[in-house]
């Protein structure tokens, strides 16, 4: 049985590997952004700092921190130079450096000579690499070959979003259509890595696809009904001012709704499909209606915890905002009526619609496909 399963997943694994190589080499078309021409982004070691030009006004700091740094990489490696850290009075964006810190800096140059060095932020890439490496190691130790497939799926998903979805949106492609295509392709590929190319994959993909389409339709309808503009997304308005006035931010917001819930939809589809499959395996002569009802029973138990998970995932980033509302004594009715709060309600509730509908839809597709004796016989041959 294990050998059969490996044979079924080897095709999708090879395809994902080829896709990974292709996406890795695929240019985004935005590599030559004007903001970073004639400049190097490199690591630097902070040797000393000067805070004499910083002005403190309560919690807000403004002015400039002057640093002496040694460049650790790039064409100017080992050179020492002065660098500027500009403070804009924002606790969220400003940072202060101390001697011994490693920083990420932008080195501007002309004719082979450094013209200016700007402190960007503390250097964190090495620590991020350690965190990701520890997670991947744990995944491999616990899940073995399945962990390898999960890592491959994760890597290709990141590359598809970064190399295809984001450039496509910036180029003005229809956000809803291109996001739907990306999500449906990911659904097919991810579930094929789990099940291989068999009836379970078809059943889970069918249920998840239908639920994602339901989420997309509801997201479009309620976004229009609530009169929500896509500029409520963080940094959305900045795109318009950066020269991308052609972007339809509202459609991008709709796409983000079903894009954000698609992972949980796939997860629940796998749970329901696997449960129905186990029932059919234990009772091969079960009728489709009985298998569907078994899927409904599992789905009812899973929906409660999954929708709560989605709610916590979306609302976790808004704890500070909720604290501000409470500290100011904002009435609940007024709070819920704010555009950005209403946008998050749409995001959460419509995403939860997808989770609730995927359970019965996958139960139906699994019950029909997994109890079809003619398909079983043809598959054995």
């Amino acid at each position: 049985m294990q050998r059969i399963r490996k044979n079924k997943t080897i095709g999708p694994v090879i395809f994902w590997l080829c896709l990974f190589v292709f996406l890795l080499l695929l240019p985004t078309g935005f590599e030559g952004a004007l903001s970073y021409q004639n400049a190097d982004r490199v690591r630097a070691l902070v040797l000393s700092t000067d805070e004499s030009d910083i002005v403190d006004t309560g919690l807000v700091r403004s002015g400039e921190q002057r640093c002496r740094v040694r460049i650790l990489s790039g064409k100017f490696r080992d050179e020492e130079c002065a660098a500027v850290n500009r403070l804009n009075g924002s606790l969220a964006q400003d940072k202060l450096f101390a001697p011994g810190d490693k920083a990420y800096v932008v080195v501007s140059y002309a004719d082979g000579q450094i013209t200016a060095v700007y402190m960007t932020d503390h250097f964190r890439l090495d620590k991020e690499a350690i965190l990701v490496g520890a997670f991947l190691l744990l995944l491999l130790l616990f899940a073995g070959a399945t962990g390898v497939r999960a890592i491959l799926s994760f890597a290709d998903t990141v590359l598809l979003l970064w190399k295809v979805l984001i450039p496509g949106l910036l180029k003005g492609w229809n956000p809803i259509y291109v996001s739907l295509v990306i999500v449906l392709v990911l659904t097919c590929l991810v579930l094929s890595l789990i099940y291989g190319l068999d009836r379970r994959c078809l059943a889970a993909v069918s249920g998840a696809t239908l639920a994602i389409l339901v989420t997309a339709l509801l997201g479009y309808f309620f976004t229009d009904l609530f009169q929500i503009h896509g500029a409520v997304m963080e940094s959305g308005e900045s795109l318009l001012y950066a020269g991308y006035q052609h972007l339809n931010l509202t459609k991008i917001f709709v796409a983000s709704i079903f894009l954000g819930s698609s992972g949980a939809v796939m997860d629940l589809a796998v749970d329901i499909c696997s449960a129905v499959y186990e029932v059919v395996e234990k009772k091969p002569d079960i009728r489709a209606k009985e298998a569907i009802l078994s899927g409904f029973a599992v789905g009812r138990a899973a929906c409660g915890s999954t929708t709560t998970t989605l709610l916590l995932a979306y609302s976790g980033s808004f704890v500070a905002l909720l604290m501000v509302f409470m500290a100011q004594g904002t009435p609940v009715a007024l709070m819920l009526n704010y555009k950005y709060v209403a946008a998050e309600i749409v995001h959460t509730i419509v995403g939860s619609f997808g989770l609730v509908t995927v359970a019965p839809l996958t139960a139906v597709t699994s019950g029909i496909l997994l109890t079809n004796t003619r398909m079983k016989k043809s598959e054995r041959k």
Side-chain angles (χ1 to χ4, degrees):
M1 185 69 181
Q2 188 69 19
R3 183 175 298 175
I4 293 174
R5 183 172 294 180
K6 287 181 179 178
N7 291 336
K8 287 182 178 180
T9 57
I10 191 169
V13 168
I14 292 173
F15 180 84
W16 273 92
L17 283 172
C18 295
L19 181 64
F20 176 79
V21 175
F22 172 75
L23 291 174
L24 206 59
L25 300 176
L26 181 69
T28 64
F30 294 89
E31 287 82 5
L34 293 175
S35 302
Y36 292 102
Q37 289 183 355
N38 296 323
D40 279 349
R41 283 80 64 199
V42 295
R43 292 180 298 120
L45 177 66
V46 179
L47 302 176
S48 62
T49 61
D50 179 7
E51 289 80 26
S52 58
D53 291 335
I54 295 178
V55 178
D56 289 322
T57 308
L59 293 174
V60 177
R61 284 185 157 185
S62 58
E64 294 181 346
Q65 181 188 35
R66 302 188 179 277
C67 304
R68 189 74 183 172
V69 300
R70 180 188 299 122
I71 298 174
L72 300 178
S73 59
K75 63 177 66 179
F76 300 105
R77 183 174 181 176
D78 294 329
E79 288 195 27
E80 294 187 10
C81 53
V84 176
N85 173 31
R86 292 175 178 167
L87 306 178
N88 300 311
S90 170
L91 291 175
Q93 298 178 4
D94 290 342
K95 57 275 171 187
L96 284 177
F97 298 91
D101 286 348
K102 285 186 179 179
Y104 207 42
V105 301
V106 175
V107 180
S108 299
Y109 59 89
D111 300 324
Q113 299 294 322
I114 296 175
T115 57
V117 179
Y118 299 100
M119 310 292 286
T120 302
D121 212 328
H122 291 87
F123 186 77
R124 303 183 180 93
L125 296 182
D126 52 347
K127 303 173 185 66
E128 291 175 1
I130 293 173
L131 181 63
V132 172
F135 168 72
L136 296 181
L137 180 61
L138 179 62
L139 186 60
L140 288 174
L141 291 175
F142 178 74
T146 303
V148 174
R149 295 197 295 271
I151 292 171
L152 184 60
S153 168
F154 182 85
D156 277 0
T157 300
V158 171
L159 288 174
L160 268 174
L161 296 178
W162 182 249
K163 292 294 190 78
V164 179
L165 178 64
I166 303 302
L169 295 180
L170 287 173
K171 292 173 183 176
W173 298 355
N174 188 296
I176 296 178
Y177 292 158
V178 68
S179 299
L180 267 177
V181 170
I182 293 291
V183 168
L184 297 182
V185 168
L186 282 173
T187 301
C188 294
L189 294 177
V190 169
L191 296 182
S192 68
L193 281 178
I194 297 172
Y195 291 126
L197 301 176
D198 67 1
R199 291 171 292 117
R200 290 172 298 169
C201 180
L202 180 59
V205 167
S206 301
T209 298
L210 292 172
I212 290 169
L213 291 175
V214 168
T215 307
L217 290 172
L218 290 175
Y220 188 87
F221 174 76
F222 281 104
T223 298
D224 181 64
L225 184 65
F226 281 34
Q227 297 180 331
I228 295 172
H229 193 280
V232 296
M233 294 183 296
E234 186 177 359
S235 302
E237 198 170 353
S238 300
L239 279 170
L240 302 180
Y241 298 138
Y244 292 91
Q245 293 90 347
H246 63 281
L247 295 181
N248 190 323
L249 294 181
T250 303
K251 287 187 177 180
I252 295 175
F253 173 77
V254 173
S256 72
I257 294 175
F258 61 81
L259 189 67
S261 64
S262 60
V265 166
M266 281 187 270
D267 182 57
L268 194 52
V270 169
D271 290 343
I272 304 301
C273 180
S274 298
V276 174
Y277 177 78
E278 289 300 318
V279 171
V280 174
E281 285 293 297
K282 295 295 186 294
K283 190 179 179 182
D285 58 342
I286 190 173
R287 292 183 300 171
K289 182 179 179 181
E290 294 175 299
I292 292 172
L293 292 176
S294 297
F296 281 1
V298 176
R300 282 192 290 270
C303 280
S305 61
T306 309
T307 52
T308 304
T309 300
L310 192 65
L311 172 63
L312 293 174
Y314 284 149
S315 63
S317 58
F318 282 86
V319 170
L321 179 62
L322 296 176
M323 292 172 66
V324 170
F325 284 141
M326 182 168 288
Q328 293 178 344
T330 306
V332 174
L334 182 60
M335 178 184 71
L336 295 177
N337 195 64
Y338 280 129
K339 182 190 291 185
Y340 42 88
V341 175
E344 286 306 310
I345 291 174
V346 171
H347 216 294
T348 303
I349 302 302
V350 172
S352 297
F353 263 104
L355 293 180
V356 174
T357 55
V358 72
L361 289 171
T362 306
V364 171
T365 57
S366 299
I368 294 173
L369 293 172
L370 299 182
T371 58
N372 191 321
T373 54
R374 284 179 295 181
M375 289 187 69
K376 289 181 183 179
K377 289 178 181 178
S378 62
E379 197 171 87
R380 289 192 188 112
K381 291 178 182 179

